[in-house]
Amino acid sequence: QQQVKQSPQSLIVQKGGISIINCAYENTAFDYFPWYQQFPGKGPALLIAIRPDVSEKKEGRFTISFNKSAKQFSLHIMDSQPGDSATYFCAAFTPSGSARQLTFGSGTQLTVLP
Amino acid sequence: GAGVSQSPSNKVTEKGKDVELRCDPISGHTALYWYRQSLGQGLEFLIYFQGNSAPDKSGLPSDRFSAERTGGSVSTLTIQRTQQEDSAVYLCASSFGGGQEQYFGPGTRLTVT
């Protein structure tokens, strides 16, 4: 059962443009929503994260927007750079008891053209 | 400080052989996770250790998979009688306390021929 749906599967953006990746979740028990960036041959790296009591979080060029009622959240990359070209994963954390785990979206391959 | 380390970085094995994958978490992190990343299934949770408590094995795909964590630190994921569908990148992550901020290692790429 896919509990976190991510779109688009791939995204091509011009340098300086805005990249937007969307995720939707079903389980209202999730209480932490991170985004990970992964380069080929590397493990996922924690990029930015948000909790459901906050509607927006910004760190540098990266912003998470969170809509609790719609059960959706998105990553915005402002002034996208070729070095941002990577695969991005949204995730959601299950806090209950022993079943503490991240459930990941399917990933978005971002290409930023120079 | 040092991040999560995993070894080997690559492993090629024949179908039916057993393999052991190792994870060294960030020093002081009490929680340790194993995930599997494959083309068809994305990133899947396998198993979770918190300190010295019994692990949550709910994500292990079959009884051929097992894991242990010695002394609350290093962990080993063992796959017995490997099958071709076990080919994937096996990722280890660790976190402090509640387990939300998880930091991943570089992974072990397993290829079963």
Side-chain angles (χ1 to χ4, degrees):
Chain A
Q1 179 184 5
Q2 184 184 8
Q3 296 192 51
V4 180
K5 294 183 179 180
Q6 183 171 347
S7 64
Q9 186 174 13
S10 63
L11 180 62
I12 299 175
V13 174
Q14 292 286 342
K15 178 182 176 181
I18 302 173
S19 303
I20 302 174
I21 305 171
N22 301 299
C23 284
Y25 62 96
E26 301 167 5
N27 186 352
T28 55
F30 291 142
D31 73 347
Y32 176 79
F33 300 86
W35 285 88
Y36 283 84
Q37 179 188 57
Q38 186 176 31
F39 293 104
K42 305 292 186 183
L46 181 61
L47 191 60
I48 187 172
I50 198 167
R51 299 187 188 282
D53 55 346
V54 176
S55 62
E56 185 175 282
K57 182 173 182 180
K58 183 176 180 180
E59 289 184 1
R61 296 185 293 110
F62 301 91
T63 299
I64 300 179
S65 297
F66 189 87
N67 186 330
K68 187 175 181 178
S69 61
K71 292 187 286 186
Q72 295 175 348
F73 58 111
S74 60
L75 176 69
H76 295 232
I77 306 174
M78 311 299 288
D79 187 26
S80 298
Q81 299 296 312
D84 297 331
S85 297
T87 301
Y88 293 80
F89 294 92
C90 63
F93 183 75
T94 307
S96 56
S98 61
R100 304 171 73 84
Q101 59 182 269
L102 286 171
T103 300
F104 285 87
S106 54
T108 296
Q109 187 166 351
L110 172 66
T111 301
V112 181
L113 300 176
Chain B
V4 176
S5 60
Q6 293 186 245
S7 60
S9 55
N10 283 282
K11 177 71 176 180
V12 180
T13 189
E14 292 181 353
K15 178 181 173 182
K17 300 285 189 182
D18 297 353
V19 295
E20 286 189 352
L21 312 180
R22 177 187 168 102
C23 172
D24 280 275
I26 293 171
S27 178
H29 279 192
T30 55
L32 186 148
Y33 296 78
W34 284 97
Y35 294 86
R36 179 169 71 175
Q37 185 171 28
S38 56
L39 282 175
Q41 300 296 323
L43 275 152
E44 306 172 84
F45 166 78
L46 296 178
I47 189 168
Y48 157 61
F49 295 89
Q50 176 62 271
N52 295 317
S53 302
D56 169 16
K57 304 178 183 180
S58 61
L60 294 179
S62 79
D63 58 8
R64 296 185 295 105
F65 288 71
S66 63
E68 63 177 17
R69 188 179 185 191
T70 54
S73 181
V74 172
S75 177
T76 303
L77 177 68
T78 301
I79 309 173
Q80 295 179 310
R81 306 181 302 281
T82 52
Q83 304 295 311
Q84 288 188 330
E85 61 263 29
D86 299 334
S87 295
V89 176
Y90 290 82
L91 291 159
C92 176
S94 70
S95 69
F96 178 75
Q100 295 170 328
E101 285 191 13
Q102 298 184 21
Y103 296 89
F104 283 80
T108 293
R109 180 174 297 278
L110 175 66
T111 303
V112 182
T113 62

